[in-house]
Amino acid sequence: MVTQGLHANAGQGLGLQGRHVVVTGGSRGLGQQIVRLLSARGARVSACGRREETLEALCRGLEDEGLPRPFTRALDVAAPEGLERFVAEAAAENGGLYGVVACAGGARGGGVEEAAPADWMATWELNAWHSARLAAAAVPHLRAAGGGSVVLIASISGWKPGPQAQYGMAKAGQIHLAASLARELGPDGIRVNAVSPGSMLIPGKRWDRMRREDPAAFADFRREFPGGELVDPKEVAEVVAFLLSDLASGVSGANVPVDRAQNAPTPQGY
């Protein structure tokens, strides 16, 4: 009962009520959890994703929960200009901007001998470069509002090595980007932080498929976690909401792991 009470009151004092936050990759997985939590905490949310149908499913789900319908756009965050246009349209639709969350990400290619140059570039653009473009597009709006918060979703793969190298390199870039931009944008009242999730159990994704298709391998992988359980994306969303909030006013330039003290980031170990 005590735990339920704490969870029920978790949104009090965050200062997100009525504040507009843009979330990339917001239609599925972790991004969906972030959108849902921010909406439940009273924020106005705009979200983009690759496909109209997944964005529409997100909107219907929020409406079914009695939450407002977010402003959405279907786009590829790595494509030229679309991301910047989305941020501008979302800010105009919602009367400004308070925060952004760079949640879109992913990887292409296999090991270093198999991955083509295009795989390395695509992985970099989808993670680190998209984060830089999102921050740059947001800065004028955040500055006009007197400051705000930028959160980049990196990964423990950014500092705990494991295959594939192109993904770890891109995630390490996001972590360094947060630290550098925190110094650059601090005078404008803009905080920048990275969040590094461990391996998350998301329905239909890699670890959920392993759990269903290869229980023995999944049981071995769970040993990488001292508590024996993978990360719940809701746990990551809570940290993102905190970093966006007034409670984190003194936190900038940080990389915050949410990994349940995970050891190696993949079943292949270090």
Side-chain angles (χ1 to χ4, degrees):
M1 294 299 291
V2 173
T3 301
Q4 292 176 348
L6 287 171
H7 182 75
N9 294 322
Q12 295 182 4
L14 288 182
L16 295 175
Q17 189 72 34
R19 288 176 164 174
H20 176 220
V21 179
V22 163
V23 181
T24 66
S27 62
R28 299 190 302 168
L30 174 59
Q32 182 186 79
Q33 291 294 339
I34 292 170
V35 170
R36 177 180 291 138
L37 180 63
L38 294 178
S39 298
R41 299 285 165 84
R44 289 176 291 157
V45 182
S46 297
C48 67
R50 285 182 177 272
R51 296 194 294 274
E52 289 281 4
E53 57 267 29
T54 56
L55 288 166
E56 181 58 30
L58 167 72
C59 293
R60 288 197 304 269
L62 292 173
E63 290 177 330
D64 289 345
E65 295 178 33
L67 297 171
R69 187 181 183 92
F71 176 83
T72 63
R73 284 287 183 269
L75 60 93
D76 178 357
V77 297
E81 300 182 2
L83 177 60
E84 290 80 1
R85 186 163 49 247
F86 165 63
V87 171
E89 291 174 349
E93 180 75 16
N94 287 277
L97 185 61
Y98 171 75
V100 294
V101 182
C103 191
R108 274 181 44 180
V112 68
E113 293 181 286
E114 292 80 26
D119 295 326
W120 286 80
M121 289 305 301
T123 303
W124 177 261
E125 290 175 353
L126 183 55
N127 296 278
W129 182 226
H130 133 253
S131 295
R133 289 172 56 208
L134 177 64
V139 164
H141 304 286
L142 300 178
R143 186 184 290 125
S149 177
V150 176
V151 179
L152 312 181
I153 304 300
S155 168
I156 64 168
S157 294
W159 82 95
K160 294 182 179 181
Q164 273 68 39
Q166 61 269 30
Y167 181 71
M169 179 188 72
K171 290 303 182 182
Q174 286 181 290
I175 293 168
H176 190 86
L177 178 66
S180 294
L181 290 183
R183 298 284 298 174
E184 180 179 343
L185 302 177
D188 293 310
I190 299 170
R191 296 182 296 106
V192 188
N193 293 286
V195 173
S196 287
S199 299
M200 293 178 285
L201 192 60
I202 298 174
K205 295 293 187 178
R206 178 182 181 183
W207 309 122
D208 182 50
R209 293 196 302 269
M210 177 189 280
R211 180 180 60 85
R212 291 181 283 106
E213 298 169 6
D214 194 345
F218 184 73
D220 285 341
F221 184 47
R222 285 176 59 185
R223 296 190 181 96
E224 298 292 342
F225 301 81
E229 298 295 338
L230 276 67
V231 177
D232 187 325
K234 294 177 183 178
E235 297 170 324
V236 183
E238 291 281 5
V239 174
V240 172
F242 165 73
L243 290 173
L244 289 168
S245 77
D246 293 340
L247 293 178
S249 61
V251 184
S252 192
N255 173 42
V256 183
V258 188
D259 61 4
R260 290 178 169 261
Q262 181 177 356
N263 184 35
T266 69
Q268 289 79 23
Y270 288 120

